[in-house]
Amino acid sequence: MRMRKAAVVGAGVGGLTAAIALRRIGWDVSIFERWPRIVAEGTALGIRPDAQAALASLGLGERLRERTVPYRHARIRTPDGRHLADLPLERIERRGGAPVRMLSRVSLIEMLVEEVDPATISTGVEITDPAALRDSHDLVIGADGVRSAVRQAFFAAPTRPRYAGIVAWRGVVHGFEPQDYGETWGRGQMFGMTPQSPGVTNWYAPVRTPKGVRETLGDLRARFAGWHDPIPRVLAAAEEDAVLRHEVHDLAPPLASYVTGNVALLGDAAHAMTPALGQGACQALLDAAGLAACLRDHPGDVPGALRLYDARRRPAAERMVTASRWMTRLAGAGRLAGPRNALMRLGRR
């Protein structure tokens, strides 16, 4: 029997995971990445139990545990340090049977790359004619991010990247572990801290910012001046060239399908979302594992397997998109921050 061929466009979390999963079920996979090298940058990712199970199904469970730290307790506070609520980490652990585990994106990408045959990766290749890939492969996977060339080529929907009005800042602090992890919610901005590895703390700060405005690290420090300790100290220790900053985009309106013919989208190419729930990487992992499972169970019917993938993954992913958008608005509330805080305190009683 001829080995089936798949082209994966994009070598991020979703694309690499899809390539690994497909190879495990007998597919010949080629990966195309437009950057000159696979970009392994970023700070901490919270890997939830379902995404941990997806990695375990690819034989990566033990390495995941070796590289991660559990995240079990965290609070939401006001800028003056008052306790508003607890993040639902204990509930996630009860329901999923495992704690959320924190992992740097760099470490995750490295772990995935180790599982991929280097000969199957072509870097510095920008796919300008996805139709040619479709003609020469049994399956084309668009894992090429929010501005996906694959989505633009094959999906006629008016779905486009939309600026969410937020700039996300991220960084790490070495040799420092705060007394309490969690998030601090203010007016139009929030600040969060999580563990990343022993002795390393991840911080993030989504702030409402007009489109096109580029603030400096000094501006960010001024935004959080007067917030409770250790937030000003963490920002004072941050170095300009080590801090990541990017405008947040989601997709609107949502796609009516993640598949067409022998083409499938996954990750941000299908459902880019705001970062409030920290679910972008987890959803890409679940997409990739779910897609491979459908193809494994329906080996002779690629279009049918893709329709099943869409039926299983799109409703779940779109629920996460909606929840993340709602949580982004809640955490970054402006004039309604006062009523929001009052309701959250009532919910603790």
Side-chain angles (χ1 to χ4, degrees), residues 67-115:
R67 296 175 183 229
T68 56
V69 293
Y71 187 30
R72 286 189 159 104
H73 306 289
R75 290 182 165 188
I76 301 173
R77 293 190 281 177
T78 62
D80 60 6
R82 287 177 294 166
H83 180 206
L84 280 176
D86 294 330
L87 288 174
L89 297 171
E90 294 180 15
R91 185 172 73 241
I92 291 171
E93 183 171 356
R94 285 196 306 272
R95 291 180 176 177
V100 173
R101 302 194 69 88
M102 301 304 298
L103 171 71
S104 78
R105 187 179 185 278
V106 172
S107 186
L108 176 58
I109 291 291
E110 290 174 348
M111 183 171 68
L112 296 173
V113 168
E114 289 170 2
E115 289 294 304

Side-chain angles (χ1 to χ4, degrees), residues 113-330:
V113 168
E114 289 170 2
E115 289 294 304
V116 177
D117 180 355
T120 66
I121 304 175
S122 299
T123 56
V125 177
E126 185 163 4
I127 301 300
T128 57
D129 183 16
L133 287 180
R134 188 178 199 177
D135 293 340
S136 57
H137 292 81
D138 301 287
L139 171 65
V140 175
I141 297 176
D144 48 343
V146 65
R147 293 180 174 81
S148 169
V150 175
R151 187 186 64 244
Q152 293 176 31
F154 297 121
F155 293 77
T159 303
R160 296 289 184 275
R162 175 183 63 179
Y163 178 50
I166 296 166
V167 170
W169 298 74
R170 295 168 291 154
V172 298
V173 181
H174 295 270
F176 170 77
E177 295 182 2
Q179 183 177 354
D180 292 305
Y181 292 110
E183 298 180 348
T184 301
W185 293 5
R187 293 181 180 272
Q189 59 197 41
M190 59 91 76
F191 193 94
M193 287 180 286
T194 72
Q196 177 165 302
S197 59
V200 180
T201 293
N202 165 68
W203 65 263
Y204 52 96
V207 297
R208 294 208 170 275
T209 309
K211 186 172 180 59
V213 172
R214 184 169 182 84
E215 295 185 328
T216 66
L217 182 56
D219 295 324
L220 187 69
R221 290 173 177 142
R223 278 179 173 268
F224 292 97
W227 284 41
H228 68 77
D229 186 71
I231 293 173
R233 287 194 291 127
V234 168
L235 290 176
E239 299 178 2
E240 186 79 49
D241 59 356
V243 172
L244 301 176
R245 173 198 180 279
H246 74 276
E247 293 183 345
V248 175
H249 292 78
D250 59 8
L251 290 177
L255 288 164
S257 176
Y258 294 169
V259 306
T260 179
N262 67 336
V263 178
L265 302 176
L266 58 78
D268 284 353
H271 48 66
M273 65 187 74
T274 54
L277 297 179
Q279 277 288 290
C282 287
Q283 295 303 306
L285 289 168
L286 293 171
D287 289 346
L291 175 59
C294 292
L295 289 163
R296 178 199 63 211
D297 295 341
H298 296 80
D301 182 10
V302 171
L306 297 193
R307 289 193 296 271
L308 180 61
Y309 157 73
D310 182 66
R312 288 178 176 176
R313 283 298 304 148
R314 183 163 50 85
E318 293 301 333
R319 284 195 296 271
M320 195 62 68
V321 169
T322 300
S324 186
R325 186 177 296 131
W326 181 86
M327 185 59 72
T328 297
R329 292 170 179 167
L330 183 66

Side-chain angles (χ1 to χ4, degrees), residues 8-19:
V8 178
V9 183
V13 171
L16 292 171
T17 305

